[in-house]
Amino acid sequence: MIDFIFLDVGETLLRPWPSFEELFISVCAEVGLTVEVDAVVNLHDATRVMQVVEETGIRNASLDPERSRGFWTALYRRGLHELGIDNEELVERLYQRFSSSSSYKLYDDVLPTIKQLKDEGYRLGVISNFDEWLEEMLVELEIGALLDVSVISGIAGVEKPDPRIFQIAIDQAGVDPSRTVHVGDSIVSDVRPAAKMGMVPVLLDRAGRYPDEGCATITTLRELPALLGEL
């Protein structure tokens, strides 16, 4: 019997809008630079993120605003370097654009599913690695009021996959972990640590990246209510 549903946020509930690539290109265009979509596609993939972590030594970036700025500006600077662009003004413009709530939008399946789950009696919360300004953005996106618990790393002081952030969420919800589901798009940050905490992990694989991870998997949040009836 599931009582409480936790959800990841980035790439689970919301995404850069209209896309990372289009935002990146539009910011470059503001300073008169033309960049092709194909050149930008992989600038923010996991490999580059880890390379920037190793180069800068900045880990758990969301826990401190200055650390976050240092990490993201380093990532954008590296991406521009790969495009043959050396422009600190552009680095700052990219940071500002991607730190603005106006640059993000909920996936179309989020609000209908969240409202359905609330109507069915489930309690809901988020567990997210994100800067503290996510809390305000969730309100702006009309989802904040629908959440019973919000655990954001920039406020909680700990990031996934650290089990402490999951424990904070469980404690705030006042629920047994075996009666909770955690939905997220990352095997490392969501599925595995949630399972270790005794929660029921559900992988949201919107892009079909994980053909067989041996856990409950959905490709859209709209599949979640039916799945819950099978758990």
Side-chain angles (χ1 to χ4, degrees), residues 46-104:
T47 299
R48 284 173 173 78
V49 168
M50 289 309 301
Q51 288 172 342
V52 172
V53 168
E54 294 302 321
E55 290 169 359
T56 63
I58 300 175
R59 302 178 186 277
N60 305 318
S62 70
L63 305 187
D64 176 81
E66 287 306 308
R67 192 186 307 174
S68 178
R69 169 185 280 275
F71 173 79
W72 289 108
T73 53
L75 182 65
Y76 301 140
R77 189 177 295 111
R78 179 186 178 90
L80 291 172
H81 178 74
E82 291 185 24
L83 297 172
I85 300 170
D86 181 13
N87 188 320
E88 282 300 308
E89 177 192 352
L90 187 50
V91 170
E92 180 62 24
R93 282 176 176 257
L94 286 165
Y95 175 75
Q96 293 299 330
R97 181 65 56 86
F98 283 101
S99 299
S100 169
S101 59
S102 63
S103 296
Y104 296 86

Side-chain angles (χ1 to χ4, degrees), residues 94-168:
L94 286 165
Y95 175 75
Q96 293 299 330
R97 181 65 56 86
F98 283 101
S99 299
S100 169
S101 59
S102 63
S103 296
Y104 296 86
K105 182 178 178 181
L106 296 176
Y107 286 97
D108 292 341
D109 58 5
V110 172
L111 278 178
T113 302
I114 293 299
K115 290 177 179 178
Q116 178 181 347
L117 292 171
K118 294 291 286 186
D119 289 343
E120 293 179 1
Y122 292 103
R123 297 169 64 208
L124 303 171
V126 296
I127 307 174
S128 177
N129 287 354
F130 217 107
D131 292 357
E132 61 183 14
W133 54 271
L134 172 63
E135 190 169 43
E136 182 178 345
M137 182 165 63
L138 290 174
V139 174
E140 293 175 3
L141 293 172
E142 301 181 0
I143 192 173
L146 300 175
L147 301 172
D148 299 283
V149 170
S150 295
V151 180
I152 300 165
S153 62
I155 299 173
V158 61
E159 284 189 350
K160 297 182 294 183
D162 192 312
R164 289 177 295 171
I165 193 170
F166 292 91
Q167 190 63 57
I168 290 170

Side-chain angles (χ1 to χ4, degrees), residues 177-189:
S178 66
R179 298 173 71 92
T180 70
V181 162
H182 178 68
V183 183
D185 70 303
S186 171
I187 299 297
V188 173
S189 295

